[in-house]
Amino acid sequence: MPTKTSNNQDAQVLLKKIQVAAQRLNYSGTFVYQQSNQMRTSRITHILSGKNEVEKLEILDGKPREYIRHNDDVACYVPEAKTVLIEKRVTRDVFPAILAANSADLADHYTIKVGETGRVAGHDCQAVILEPKDNLRYGYKLWADQATGLLLKAQTLDAKDELVEQIAFTQIEIGNIDHSRVKPSFSNTNGWHIENSVLSQVNLSKWSVTPPPGFKKIQELKRLISDTQNVAGKTAQHTTTSQREVSQIVFSDGLAAISVFIEPSSQSRPEGAMQQGAMNMIGRRQGDYWLTVVGEVPSAAIRQMSSSIEFKSK
């Protein structure tokens, strides 16, 4: 009979395998994201070309969207607006590459153990369970392909062990994927508008934020966001575009990420909290700034983090 220690070690080995497989394997598959009464279908194709990762993510429901990623550079194709948005990847948590931490670090804040075996999308799988050691993070059940370690299903669980959201492949090919499958579907983008997201590193040390235990600051960024408005003039409608600067501090425990967005604001906005699936958010005013705290953690963590924010003027 396996001991608790050997079970924990086996689980950590499996987590490492999950992390490596998502980055180094070639695969293409369709997955479904599910939360309460919402479902969204996407197709992801991932290729390791030399040392470079190339990935194509297609949103298959609703308005078409396509994301082509070369390492940390992401191009988002928006066909109805004939626009390509160019930006840098901020967090590394797109399914199936949801693990960004050493499994030993995760073990400080989650009890990690091997679960049952099963099948997902026709593949034999082994489950690994991460139970949170506090009420400031969710629990997870991850199902890895037994042959390759690729993550095929991820379940997010609340304190009552009830399902908050789930992502699972319904069809997956692992191995020999043709490189042409990561090319954009929109071959002719002549006349399309190219919009570069101006993203730069910034020092936000004047802002003091206390994240939940185990969450480390991974990025401090500043971005310019364009707001387009249609204004009715006396003779015709015209479009005005204004730009606003938003700062972002990103924290992660290697599995969940929390962002604090900070922007100067003179506008009156309704303060409050909202939840969508595993995502919780609080927006509130602090002095001359508008703060938004958002992350895939329970509301208690977002509230605690929001109330910890201080601006040090000196």
Side-chain angles (χ1 to χ4, degrees):
M1 191 172 165
T3 65
K4 191 174 177 182
T5 307
S6 69
N7 182 308
N8 184 275
Q9 287 170 344
D10 291 346
Q12 291 204 32
V13 168
L14 185 55
L15 281 182
K16 182 65 184 170
K17 204 173 171 186
I18 287 171
Q19 184 182 28
V20 171
Q23 296 164 352
R24 296 190 186 167
L25 291 177
N26 292 356
Y27 51 88
S28 182
T30 303
F31 64 85
V32 173
Y33 166 81
Q34 214 170 344
Q35 52 121 340
S36 59
N37 59 351
Q38 279 194 316
M39 282 178 69
R40 189 171 68 239
T41 313
S42 304
R43 181 164 51 237
I44 191 163
T45 303
H46 177 275
I47 281 175
L48 190 66
S49 179
K51 289 186 177 177
N52 297 309
E53 281 186 86
V54 186
E55 188 174 270
K56 178 178 179 178
L57 176 65
E58 301 163 81
I59 311 302
L60 301 180
D61 299 332
K63 289 183 176 175
R65 291 283 183 280
E66 197 167 288
Y67 299 84
I68 307 288
R69 178 173 71 83
H70 290 262
N71 297 326
D72 283 341
D73 296 315
V74 182
C76 172
Y77 290 78
V78 187
E80 77 269 16
K82 290 197 158 97
T83 298
V84 184
L85 306 170
I86 310 287
E87 59 187 8
K88 288 277 184 193
R89 179 167 67 158
V90 175
T91 56
R92 303 183 179 199
D93 53 4
V94 173
F95 182 81
I98 65 169
L99 283 171
N102 185 320
S103 56
D105 293 338
L106 289 171
D108 291 340
H109 301 282
Y110 297 90
T111 300
I112 305 170
K113 57 190 181 186
V114 174
E116 72 270 33
T117 56
R119 289 180 83 229
V120 178
H123 290 252
D124 291 329
C125 286
Q126 173 65 61
V128 59
I129 298 164
L130 295 96
E131 293 174 348
K133 294 182 178 179
D134 55 38
N135 68 342
L136 303 176
R137 61 201 88 217
Y138 291 117
Y140 298 90
K141 193 170 192 180
L142 309 178
W143 300 79
D145 176 38
Q146 283 188 341
T148 63
L150 187 67
L151 181 64
L152 299 187
K153 181 162 82 171
Q155 295 180 318
T156 305
L157 306 162
D158 64 15
K160 297 175 186 168
D161 222 26
E162 290 175 353
L163 192 64
V164 179
E165 64 180 31
Q166 171 174 288
I167 308 178
F169 279 110
T170 55
Q171 171 275 328
I172 181 78
E173 301 166 66
I174 305 171
N176 190 19
I177 306 296
D178 193 300
H179 283 220
S180 65
R181 289 168 67 177
V182 290
K183 289 182 178 172
S185 304
F186 311 100
S187 51
N188 183 5
T189 53
N190 288 340
W192 283 41
H193 174 59
I194 309 293
E195 195 172 298
N196 272 288
S197 169
V198 184
L199 208 64
S200 53
Q201 302 292 326
V202 64
N203 184 345
L204 297 170
S205 58
K206 284 191 172 182
W207 289 94
S208 166
V209 184
T210 306
F215 280 82
K216 299 183 177 79
K217 187 189 293 183
I218 57 169
Q219 294 230 49
E220 292 182 323
L221 306 164
K222 182 175 68 178
R223 66 177 77 212
L224 285 172
I225 293 178
S226 298
D227 294 319
T228 304
Q229 288 181 313
N230 288 317
V231 180
K234 286 181 179 172
T235 54
Q237 284 227 345
H238 63 277
T239 301
T240 64
T241 301
S242 60
Q243 286 196 316
R244 56 195 171 97
E245 193 175 275
V246 180
S247 300
Q248 179 183 6
I249 311 173
V250 186
F251 299 85
S252 174
D253 71 348
L255 199 47
I258 308 173
S259 283
V260 178
F261 293 94
I262 303 160
E263 55 183 305
S265 178
S266 54
Q267 298 173 332
S268 61
R269 303 188 196 177
E271 296 191 354
M274 65 171 284
Q275 178 175 5
Q276 186 174 11
M279 186 77 72
N280 277 284
M281 183 174 95
I282 284 180
R284 67 178 182 85
R285 175 174 293 287
Q286 184 153 327
D288 297 329
Y289 295 91
W290 183 262
L291 306 179
T292 306
V293 184
V294 59
E296 291 189 321
V297 289
S299 57
I302 296 292
R303 285 196 307 270
Q304 182 178 308
M305 199 157 157
S306 174
S307 60
S308 81
I309 300 172
E310 290 177 18
F311 180 69
K312 298 177 287 190
S313 53
K314 290 184 180 178

